[in-house]
Amino acid sequence: MNNPQKFMQSAIDLAKEGIFSCKPNPRVGCVLVKDNKIIGQGFHHKTGEDHAEINAIKNANDETKGATAYISLEPCTHKGKTPPCVDALIAAEIKEVFFAMVDPNPKVSGQSIKILEEAGVKVSYGLLEQEARELNIGFCHRMSNNRPYIRTKIGASIDGRTALKNGKSQWITSEESRQDVQQWRARSCAVLTSASTVLIDDPSLNVRLPDFSDEYQPTRFVLDSQLKTKGSEKIFNLSGENFVYTLMSNQPSGPREDVLFVNANNGHVSLEDIAIDLADKEFNEVLIEAGPNLNGAFLNEGLIDEIIVYLAPSILGNSSRGMFELPMLNELSESFRFYIESVDQIGTDLRIVLRK
């Protein structure tokens, strides 16, 4: 790895420090280099607070003149909750800027190049772009498709069964797998589940990691077409925001401020409308934790971008419940195709990540 790659990797590693806390903003890191040494570094910690570039400039203690900046994402050019970072880089007399990828946000996309070059700053981009894009997979997806990146997590036996016929599923997978799920949950802006899952399992679906602040809990949504939940279930009484998606025709039996109304699709809440609403709420990554009915519905609508399957070395048999409840397929060509992104052993289980 040459020096520019090394410094950009340092910027990307810094960006990961904000993976749980900076949502809905992208995860960004920045290092400032002079005479082949890092003189300042920073990452974006929380929306509304200083961006990575500003933190790196402050960390450099007025030694920025003539330095080179390595940034994991194109510096912003517009004033939002904080001033434009391009102005700060110019004022700091940075001589050269490398950024890993162009910002997919149309308010920024490519605009920094002209601004910086007109100020006499040399600009290069595309260094370790894939690594930077992977870190902000949800942000990029939302900016490009006007909907969040939706992944579903499934724990199953080696024969693809997620619960016994009577609904019992605790626990098919190992303790290590259940701990690993906490990481995926923590990086998500929202966790989606079904009313059936809430009424049968009464799950928490909150993040339970050491030193994880409840301030960063993902918003929990229950898809409840018939409004069967009462608001007294565990999921509604934990730290973090909680909401219910239900049909326009429903009326809560009592005062409930957590109910969101959406259009119907075949008697159920419209998943397409929900995906658009989640994008409007600036949610980048959404995690589904539910049973085969909701997983099948999202899959059938083409709304699942990634599947995380934890396969336990056990067999439950064909009378047990599967992963996806789907209409009958008549041809193999009708199957839903994904590619294998990764395979890892977690405890006694295999974790397989599938993507479109």
Side-chain angles (χ1 to χ4, degrees):
M1 182 180 289
N2 59 34
N3 281 341
Q5 286 178 317
K6 180 180 70 175
F7 293 132
M8 186 61 80
Q9 186 62 58
S10 294
I12 292 171
D13 290 341
L14 275 169
K16 294 175 183 177
E17 295 293 319
I19 196 165
F20 301 150
S21 62
C22 73
K23 49 197 174 187
N25 286 359
R27 299 133 180 171
V28 184
C30 174
V31 298
L32 303 180
V33 176
K34 187 186 286 189
D35 298 327
N36 219 30
K37 294 181 180 179
I38 294 176
I39 62 166
Q41 57 187 1
F43 67 95
H44 182 45
H45 182 265
K46 183 181 177 182
T47 182
E49 295 184 358
D50 287 339
H51 287 188
E53 298 92 324
I54 308 302
N55 286 325
I57 290 169
K58 289 180 177 179
N59 184 244
N61 296 320
D62 299 321
E63 298 294 326
T64 58
K65 184 176 181 179
T68 298
Y70 293 85
I71 315 167
S72 61
L73 182 70
E74 177 181 3
C76 64
T77 58
H78 66 291
K79 180 175 175 57
K81 294 181 179 179
T82 57
C85 288
V86 287
D87 294 349
L89 292 167
I90 293 167
E93 299 184 83
I94 300 296
K95 72 172 183 178
E96 187 171 7
V97 170
F98 287 84
F99 57 85
M101 60 173 288
V102 172
D103 193 328
N105 185 345
K107 293 180 180 179
V108 180
S109 188
Q111 296 178 30
S112 72
I113 300 170
K114 181 180 179 182
I115 295 171
L116 290 168
E117 288 181 341
E118 286 181 347
V121 181
K122 184 178 178 182
V123 179
S124 302
Y125 61 93
L127 184 63
L128 299 187
E129 178 178 357
Q130 186 55 43
E131 290 87 341
R133 188 172 294 278
E134 178 70 23
L135 181 61
N136 284 306
I137 192 169
F139 180 77
C140 294
H141 194 272
R142 177 167 67 86
M143 288 296 160
S144 301
N145 300 283
N146 192 35
R147 66 175 183 82
Y149 187 83
I150 299 177
R151 55 170 63 95
T152 185
K153 180 276 298 181
I154 300 172
S157 61
I158 200 70
D159 57 340
R161 302 296 167 171
T162 60
L164 301 179
K165 187 176 182 180
N166 61 14
K168 292 182 179 180
S169 62
Q170 297 180 343
W171 297 103
I172 293 174
T173 56
S174 66
E175 173 63 27
E176 292 88 347
S177 290
R178 297 196 295 278
Q179 278 300 113
D180 191 65
V181 168
Q182 297 292 320
Q183 300 288 335
W184 297 101
R185 199 180 284 174
R187 68 176 287 164
S188 301
C189 298
V191 175
L192 263 60
T193 193
S194 66
S196 296
T197 296
V198 170
L199 294 172
I200 294 171
D201 295 337
D202 198 22
S204 299
L205 298 186
N206 61 343
V207 179
R208 299 182 293 278
L209 289 173
D211 302 322
F212 184 87
S213 172
D214 278 344
E215 180 182 3
Y216 307 125
Q217 287 287 349
T219 304
R220 297 180 291 271
F221 291 90
V222 179
L223 278 59
D224 188 358
S225 297
Q226 307 308 318
L227 204 53
K228 293 180 179 179
T229 57
K230 305 300 182 185
S232 57
E233 294 83 4
K234 187 188 301 181
I235 194 171
F236 301 113
N237 293 283
L238 299 169
S239 296
E241 290 190 305
N242 309 278
F243 295 97
V244 171
Y245 280 116
T246 194
L247 298 178
M248 295 280 192
S249 56
N250 289 329
Q251 290 297 324
S253 57
R256 290 190 64 178
E257 298 179 357
D258 61 347
V259 176
L260 303 174
F261 298 96
V262 293
N263 292 317
N265 183 10
N266 294 323
H268 299 282
V269 289
S270 168
L271 302 185
E272 182 68 33
D273 285 1
I274 288 171
I276 292 171
D277 186 59
L278 292 171
D280 290 343
K281 289 178 167 57
E282 298 186 307
F283 291 152
N284 298 323
E285 297 179 27
V286 172
L287 180 66
I288 299 172
E289 297 198 51
N293 289 326
L294 191 60
N295 276 322
F298 268 94
L299 183 65
N300 203 40
E301 291 283 324
L303 294 173
I304 291 180
D305 302 295
E306 182 174 295
I307 304 171
I308 305 169
V309 182
Y310 294 88
L311 285 180
S314 61
I315 297 170
L316 300 185
N318 61 6
S319 63
S320 299
R321 299 181 183 182
M323 298 185 189
F324 298 93
E325 187 70 30
L326 292 166
M328 183 179 292
L329 305 182
N330 296 307
E331 301 290 341
L332 287 175
S333 59
E334 298 173 346
S335 65
F336 298 85
R337 304 294 296 178
F338 289 76
Y339 71 90
I340 297 175
E341 170 65 21
S342 64
V343 179
D344 297 282
Q345 183 163 352
I346 307 294
T348 57
D349 306 330
L350 286 181
R351 184 189 66 196
I352 304 173
V353 178
L354 305 166
R355 289 182 179 172
K356 280 186 177 177

